[in-house]
Amino acid sequence: MHQFLNKCDAALAEISAQGRYRRFVALEKLADRFPYYSVTMEGKTRDILVWSTNDYLAMGTDPQVIEASIQAARRYGAGAGGTRNIAGSSPLHVALEEELADLHGKDAALLFTSGYVSNQASLTAILNSLPDWHVFSDAQNHNSMIVGMKSSRNATVHVFRHNDMDDLERLLCETPKDAPKLIAFESVYSMDGDIAPLEEICDLADHYNALTYLDEVHAVGMYGAHGGGVSERDGVASRITIIEGTLAKGFGCHGGYITGDFKVLDYIRSVAAGFIFTTALPPPTVAAALASIRLLKQDHARRALLFNRAETLKAKFREAGLPVMESNSHIVPLMIGSAARATEVSMRLIREFGMYATPINYPTVPQGTERLRFTPGPKHTDEMMDKLVAALQHILLPTANTTT
């Protein structure tokens, strides 16, 4: 025990010295005033404007979504009562899975307790099904995907350079022709805000007889004609073996899922420990997600406004001379370059200007590329953006003219 405590002290001291010790800001979401939150710091409570929520479309505060959750709690209670096998598979769970399968044009869907679990459990189950899998993983894949791949007993993991199709093809060429292959990748990469070339990946998968596993967590609800993600937008959903998503970002609720061929999902349902041994999602959460998906399938204006807000903020950052990173998605990263500086800028925004943007540090991004991550949504106005720009100019460009 003594050795372990010493290790904890040393590791935490090193993390602190590098300026990347994570201190949570106690944010209280205000449903009726979103994107304003309440925060208590240094004994004082005040409202702040949040710029970094993953509730991208403000669906977590939508009155119809909230009401669906309330009605489900009154009818079914607060919790599911067990795993799906024991007592937790209600008509709501079935209806949500059917809605998700329809959203992605797949035979079936399977719910998990989070997007992290859906990736980790599903990839582990797939890659343990045969003794000689070769899995090809984008270098910037999420930790949940990496853990899922590494949990396989026998799979060989090949990492290809981020969004580099030549590197992916090189690795595919070097793999035995008859070996089972899986390409695992994301659509929207949430730290840089770039998007994978889905059609090119599908072409390579077809040519080399590989299955595909696509993480759409930062795209579902937002991209495509009905919110089915980049795969819907690009017309390639039918070519992808498994599409994974979350209910916690664009849909504003909680939970994860996969969609695909019925037999494949039935196999995962039957062997994935992360599904079998976990209590099912609470009925109020399931009802809220179901309402959110059904609303967003028809709410084209809300999705259009999201992208308008993102492009507007990017333009304002560029015009102000702020170090905005190139992004072709709704995510707007601002390069800072060091963990300590990113934390300092974030805290100054709160204390001096009543705004919050999350500092993104190593290991989420490589050292030296620390940044602030902005996710403007439908409720962020031009006036809010102008105040944000002025604040950032004051902090980052103190000698510049901060008039906006």
Side-chain angles (χ1 to χ4, degrees):
M1 184 65 176
H2 181 68
Q3 288 180 318
F4 174 61
L5 292 177
N6 286 342
K7 174 61 179 178
C8 292
D9 285 340
L12 290 170
E14 181 179 357
I15 291 170
S16 295
Q18 293 173 358
R20 58 186 183 90
Y21 182 78
R22 299 179 185 225
R23 293 176 173 84
F24 297 144
V25 177
L27 298 169
E28 181 182 347
K29 192 174 186 178
L30 303 174
D32 60 341
R33 298 187 56 217
F34 185 82
Y36 284 96
Y37 286 58
S38 177
V39 64
T40 299
M41 295 180 65
E42 300 165 352
K44 296 181 180 179
T45 301
R46 61 171 173 159
D47 292 349
I48 62 168
L49 177 61
V50 170
W51 288 95
S52 296
T53 174
N54 282 345
D55 188 357
Y56 295 127
L57 293 165
M59 294 305 292
T61 61
D62 185 275
Q64 294 180 70
V65 173
I66 293 171
E67 184 61 25
S69 180
I70 292 170
Q71 293 302 322
R74 287 179 176 149
R75 180 173 180 178
Y76 299 105
T83 66
R84 291 286 292 276
N85 188 55
I86 291 175
S89 194
S90 73
L92 280 174
H93 292 83
V94 175
L96 180 53
E97 287 176 338
E98 291 175 348
E99 197 73 39
L100 288 165
D102 177 74
L103 177 67
H104 295 291
K106 299 297 185 183
D107 293 342
L110 187 65
L111 289 171
F112 290 83
T113 50
S114 73
Y116 192 104
V117 174
S118 59
N119 273 335
Q120 186 272 328
S122 299
L123 284 166
T124 299
I126 294 167
L127 297 174
N128 279 335
S129 64
L130 295 169
D132 55 350
W133 275 103
H134 287 258
V135 58
F136 303 84
S137 175
D138 188 285
Q140 289 193 19
N141 275 343
H142 191 265
N143 175 267
S144 57
M145 301 174 77
I146 296 168
V147 170
M149 297 172 206
K150 290 185 176 180
S151 296
S152 169
R153 293 183 295 270
N154 301 305
T156 300
V157 180
H158 308 269
V159 179
F160 62 93
R161 290 190 293 270
H162 178 54
N163 281 347
D164 188 329
M165 296 301 97
D166 290 336
D167 195 41
L168 173 57
E169 183 163 25
R170 176 185 64 81
L171 292 170
L172 286 163
C173 283
E174 294 173 354
T175 304
K177 182 178 179 180
D178 295 331
K181 305 175 187 67
L182 176 72
I183 305 173
F185 54 104
E186 300 181 38
S187 56
V188 176
Y189 287 87
S190 64
M191 292 301 120
D192 288 350
D194 56 344
I195 297 177
L198 301 195
E199 186 172 7
E200 293 180 54
I201 293 174
C202 289
D203 289 344
L204 287 174
D206 290 345
H207 184 75
Y208 291 95
N209 194 29
L211 303 182
T212 46
Y213 185 102
L214 171 61
D215 177 320
E216 286 261 41
V217 297
H218 291 279
V220 290
M222 295 166 282
Y223 294 76
H226 304 93
V230 177
S231 56
E232 182 189 30
R233 185 198 71 177
D234 292 356
V236 298
S238 63
R239 301 178 63 190
I240 294 170
T241 313
I242 291 179
I243 297 175
E244 183 266 352
T246 184
L247 305 168
K249 295 180 172 63
F251 296 124
C253 299
H254 185 75
Y257 65 88
I258 57 172
T259 65
D261 178 84
F262 176 81
K263 287 185 179 179
V264 173
L265 267 64
D266 199 26
Y267 171 78
I268 294 172
R269 181 186 68 86
S270 300
V271 304
F275 174 82
I276 295 171
F277 299 108
T278 302
T279 299
L281 287 170
T285 299
V286 176
L290 189 57
S292 181
I293 294 167
R294 288 172 174 170
L295 285 169
L296 281 178
K297 278 184 174 181
Q298 310 302 323
D299 196 345
H300 312 298
R302 190 187 302 236
R303 287 196 294 276
L305 184 55
L306 170 75
F307 293 108
N308 170 275
R309 298 291 76 203
E311 293 307 313
T312 299
L313 185 60
K314 291 175 193 177
K316 288 180 179 292
F317 278 176
R318 285 192 293 266
E319 291 165 6
L322 294 167
V324 60
M325 299 170 62
E326 289 298 319
S327 160
N328 58 349
S329 72
H330 62 286
I331 293 166
V332 186
L334 195 69
M335 178 59 68
I336 302 298
S338 82
R341 180 63 168 154
T343 299
E344 176 198 359
V345 174
S346 177
M347 295 309 296
R348 285 190 65 185
L349 275 175
I350 293 178
R351 292 192 174 105
E352 297 175 30
F353 300 97
M355 300 183 219
Y356 179 68
T358 307
I360 306 295
N361 299 324
Y362 176 84
T364 306
V365 295
Q367 289 180 324
T369 69
E370 291 84 358
R371 66 202 63 178
L372 298 185
R373 178 178 177 272
F374 297 86
T375 56
K379 296 189 177 183
H380 286 101
T381 66
D382 280 12
E383 182 182 5
M384 293 174 179
M385 292 183 187
D386 290 339
K387 290 179 179 178
L388 172 65
V389 168
L392 288 168
Q393 284 184 306
H394 178 81
I395 296 170
L396 296 173
L397 310 172
T399 61
N401 180 3
T402 59
T403 302
T404 59

